[in-house]
Amino acid sequence: MTLHQTSLCFACSHLASGEKEGDELRRNSDVVEILRNTHFRRLCKTSGRRTPARILDHDRVIWLGDLNYRIGLSYSETKKLVQANDWDALFEKDQLRIEREGGVFIGWNEGKIFFAPTYKYSWNSDSYAGESKKKKKRRTPAWCDRILWYGEGIEQLSYIRRESKFSDHRPVCAVFIVEVAVLHTKNIVKAANMKVGAEELLPRCSLQRQEF
């Protein structure tokens, strides 16, 4: 989508699951395929405006979803750090952090994480799966659910998780301020007062009551 003279792209994906050694390579392959094979058709001709053909051709990009990257520690080591709320030590072993520093997500940004791993929970519970005697369903806790951004002119105001218990994941949400360029006196300039929250870019609808 385009707002004034700035193009924006929102990508939502569910990458390959699994916590066995090497499963992160399948997730990396998914990322490469998404970036390589996602193309946007030009629906209308706009004079003087570039139409992005691929995800990274956009000025601002937000990528969110169940990215499924795990923590490279054993279940017992991870649980000890979770119980101690030692997010920094856990984050050092986070697979997505490693990919952002020199892998498929290099150049992407993420806000600092101050919340517990979002996966895997027992249904309708505050306990991670496998904490009881049923170790068959046990998974090492991980930050599977993430929100990343790419490009200049994006400022994140908050990055938190919610406590909905309708899934084995805990949802995460973020609030951004995004700068856009506007056309002024035949020149494109950045307007400081043209910052908008990302939620303002989402489609809106209204409902009216009709009696029969």
Side-chain angles (χ1 to χ4, degrees):
M1 65 174 290
T2 299
L3 183 62
H4 292 281
Q5 301 299 315
T6 300
S7 59
L8 303 106
C9 179
F10 297 86
C12 182
S13 65
H14 184 284
L15 304 183
S17 62
E19 63 178 43
K20 297 189 299 294
E21 184 177 354
D23 283 340
E24 70 276 12
L25 300 180
R26 297 192 297 121
R27 291 185 273 277
N28 294 345
S29 178
D30 286 347
V31 173
V32 172
E33 289 298 309
I34 290 170
L35 292 175
R36 176 190 298 156
N37 295 328
T38 302
H39 298 268
F40 299 95
R41 293 187 303 166
R42 177 177 292 184
L43 299 179
C44 59
K45 294 183 179 180
T46 305
S47 177
R49 182 179 297 174
R50 175 178 60 88
T51 301
R54 299 173 182 268
I55 291 175
L56 295 183
D57 291 339
H58 291 76
D59 299 310
R60 322 273 190 262
V61 185
I62 293 178
W63 191 329
L64 68 158
D66 182 1
L67 304 189
N68 251 320
Y69 284 98
R70 308 305 172 97
I71 294 172
L73 293 171
S74 68
Y75 177 83
S76 59
E77 290 174 313
T78 301
K79 280 292 295 179
K80 288 180 181 178
L81 293 174
V82 169
Q83 291 169 351
N85 292 341
D86 194 344
W87 313 137
D88 288 340
L90 281 175
F91 195 66
E92 282 297 313
K93 299 296 183 179
D94 178 70
Q95 293 176 346
L96 182 52
R97 180 195 65 79
I98 296 171
E99 294 304 322
R100 284 182 46 235
E101 290 187 354
V104 295
F105 275 112
I106 190 169
W108 289 78
N109 302 287
E110 183 180 24
K112 187 171 177 59
I113 293 177
F114 291 103
F115 49 83
T118 58
Y119 177 84
K120 176 182 182 180
Y121 281 88
S122 297
W123 186 82
N124 198 27
S125 169
D126 289 321
S127 300
Y128 287 105
E131 289 184 345
S132 63
K133 296 181 180 180
K134 297 180 180 179
K135 295 184 179 181
K136 183 178 180 180
K137 296 183 178 181
R138 188 172 74 182
R139 297 291 186 276
T140 302
W143 288 295
C144 290
D145 311 279
R146 312 289 277 269
I147 303 175
L148 310 177
W149 74 90
Y150 187 91
E152 301 295 329
I154 301 178
E155 178 185 355
Q156 188 179 69
L157 301 183
S158 68
Y159 190 26
I160 61 175
R161 66 174 238 170
R162 296 295 188 182
E163 298 307 316
S164 172
K165 300 178 183 179
F166 295 106
S167 167
D168 53 4
H169 292 253
R170 289 293 190 268
V172 298
C173 61
V175 176
F176 296 90
I177 286 181
V178 180
E179 292 182 354
V180 300
V182 296
L183 195 63
H184 180 63
T185 62
K186 298 183 180 181
N187 292 310
I188 297 177
V189 297
K190 186 181 296 182
N193 62 343
M194 284 303 300
K195 292 185 177 181
V196 297
E199 67 274 8
E200 297 180 42
L201 305 177
L202 299 177
R204 298 176 182 270
C205 66
S206 60
L207 300 177
Q208 294 183 344
R209 182 176 179 179
Q210 183 70 45
E211 296 184 358
F212 296 94

